Amino acid sequence: MDFNVKRLAADAGTLFSRAVQFTEEKFGQAEKTELDAHLENLLTRAECTKQWTEKILKQTEVLLQPNPNVRIEEFFYEKLDKKAPTRMNNHELLGQSMIDSGHESGPGTAYGNALIKCGETEKQIGGAEREFIQSSAINFLTPFRNFLEGDFKTILKERKLLQNKRLDLDAAKTKLKKAKMADARALAEQDLKMTQSEFDRQAEITRLLLEGISSTHAHHLRCLNDFVEAQMTYYAQCYQYMVDLQKQLGNFPSAFSSNNNQSTASVSVPILPLSAPLPSTTGNASSGFTELQNFSGSRKARVLYDYDAAGSNELSLLADEVIMVSSVPGMDSDWLMGERGTQKGKVPITYLELLN
């Protein structure tokens, strides 16, 4: 019990002497031991590394998750050591909306099918984004965060301890200057020698830790390479997905609609690709269709473009195939009845070329 009391008293005396030394230094009433230039440079470099690591970490988090509310939620889940609920990202939400709209519009129509294709691609991009974020979090954010919460906190702890040892050393120097009696001077010299030894030892420990910043930079460089590689993979995947989608959409007709001021019934309108030449409205082709529509009988016709049936009463077409076409009384003038083997359905005349 007496030993603990004496120890507490000694600690209190040490804290008091540090406080006095610190205050007198601030008012210019006491000398201060300066750290060597190399150690000062190491401390400055460590502080700069910490500041820039914090900025890069923060901006990367904003890049990977722009929504601040979601970032806060993920932060709390991480602190609670719980897995955050999985939610669809913006690309996936857009993709799902397109797919639902495509099914509602009719997957058999050109527009509906195109919406579904676009939606599927958006969801693929969303999946690639999810993989990119996960890879970046593991290989880039986590090492940066570990440095700030681990290595740099250790440096701060040892730097604070070095500051305390420096105050003890300067307090011992002041005590020696003020000592008049031989016994007091001998005791002060012994105290100075001990505090100098402790300061030198702590300075060496701090120096070794600070020199480890070079290893941190090397590690962060590898993490940066991983981050760049993850970005490259992500953007390459997105590019390839869009190239594939563009090729698929190139096979779709260009969408246009016709509204003949009919409010009670919808009319299915044949659709042509954007790059396709408009069919001639004069000449043999036009007269051939007119003749076919005015008289009974059937003719062979070559399909000019792919066509997706918009309903069960229509016939899907493939470019360059040959089908039989005929006219049905009462049918819209833009359509003929097409036959392919046992399959039968309406086909748009703008997709056809009558054969002799």
Side-chain angles (χ1 to χ4, degrees), residues 107-166:
T109 65
Y111 179 54
N113 201 355
L115 277 174
I116 294 173
K117 296 292 185 184
C118 290
E120 290 171 348
T121 300
E122 290 294 339
K123 294 187 78 171
Q124 284 181 309
I125 293 175
E129 180 185 287
R130 192 181 299 280
E131 292 177 1
F132 165 60
I133 292 174
Q134 184 178 10
S135 173
S136 300
I138 295 173
N139 299 323
F140 190 66
L141 293 183
T142 298
F144 275 49
R145 194 176 290 116
N146 288 344
F147 165 72
L148 294 173
E149 298 178 355
D151 294 348
F152 193 76
K153 282 189 175 181
T154 302
I155 290 174
L156 288 179
K157 177 182 176 182
E158 297 300 330
R159 187 175 69 178
K160 183 178 180 181
L161 191 55
L162 176 63
Q163 172 72 357
N164 289 337
K165 295 301 181 183
R166 202 269 309 161

Side-chain angles (χ1 to χ4, degrees), residues 120-264:
E120 290 171 348
T121 300
E122 290 294 339
K123 294 187 78 171
Q124 284 181 309
I125 293 175
E129 180 185 287
R130 192 181 299 280
E131 292 177 1
F132 165 60
I133 292 174
Q134 184 178 10
S135 173
S136 300
I138 295 173
N139 299 323
F140 190 66
L141 293 183
T142 298
F144 275 49
R145 194 176 290 116
N146 288 344
F147 165 72
L148 294 173
E149 298 178 355
D151 294 348
F152 193 76
K153 282 189 175 181
T154 302
I155 290 174
L156 288 179
K157 177 182 176 182
E158 297 300 330
R159 187 175 69 178
K160 183 178 180 181
L161 191 55
L162 176 63
Q163 172 72 357
N164 289 337
K165 295 301 181 183
R166 202 269 309 161
L167 289 171
D168 292 342
L169 174 61
D170 289 336
K173 290 179 180 179
T174 302
K175 183 178 179 182
L176 179 60
K177 286 182 180 180
K178 293 179 179 180
K180 303 298 182 181
M181 304 297 292
D183 291 344
R185 288 187 62 82
L187 187 61
E189 288 176 352
Q190 183 180 1
D191 190 28
L192 176 60
K193 184 178 180 180
M194 182 183 66
T195 54
Q196 182 70 58
S197 175
E198 291 179 351
F199 172 77
D200 292 341
R201 184 171 63 252
Q202 185 58 38
E204 180 65 14
I205 293 172
T206 306
R207 181 185 64 81
L208 291 174
L209 281 173
L210 292 172
E211 288 177 345
I213 290 293
S214 297
S215 298
T216 298
H217 288 176
H219 183 211
H220 286 182
L221 175 58
R222 292 192 295 271
C223 296
L224 185 61
N225 285 330
D226 291 339
F227 180 60
V228 171
E229 184 176 349
Q231 280 187 306
M232 180 186 68
T233 301
Y234 167 60
Y235 291 122
Q237 285 179 318
C238 293
Y239 174 77
Q240 189 59 51
Y241 290 148
M242 297 312 293
V243 167
D244 294 341
L245 175 62
Q246 189 179 44
K247 290 179 180 178
Q248 294 180 60
L249 293 183
N251 296 325
F252 281 79
S254 168
F256 68 87
S257 60
S258 173
N259 183 1
N260 297 323
N261 297 323
Q262 297 177 7
S263 59
T264 59

Side-chain angles (χ1 to χ4, degrees), residues 259-325:
N259 183 1
N260 297 323
N261 297 323
Q262 297 177 7
S263 59
T264 59
S266 60
V267 178
S268 180
V269 180
I271 300 170
L272 283 176
L274 280 174
S275 59
L278 290 174
S280 173
T281 56
T282 62
N284 295 333
S286 177
S287 62
F289 282 116
T290 302
E291 180 182 349
L292 183 62
Q293 291 171 335
N294 291 334
F295 302 96
S296 60
S298 61
R299 291 272 300 273
K300 286 184 178 182
R302 185 174 67 88
V303 178
L304 299 176
Y305 321 106
D306 291 347
Y307 175 72
D308 291 321
S312 59
N313 63 334
E314 296 181 13
L315 181 66
S316 295
L317 304 175
L318 294 175
D320 294 326
E321 72 170 325
V322 176
I323 63 172
M324 298 299 295
V325 292

Side-chain angles (χ1 to χ4, degrees), residues 28-47:
Q29 298 174 354
E31 295 182 1
K32 175 182 178 181
T33 299
E34 299 294 339
L35 301 176
D36 65 78
H38 177 60
L39 189 56
E40 286 284 6
N41 289 335
L42 291 176
L43 285 169
T44 301
R45 185 175 68 157
E47 185 62 31

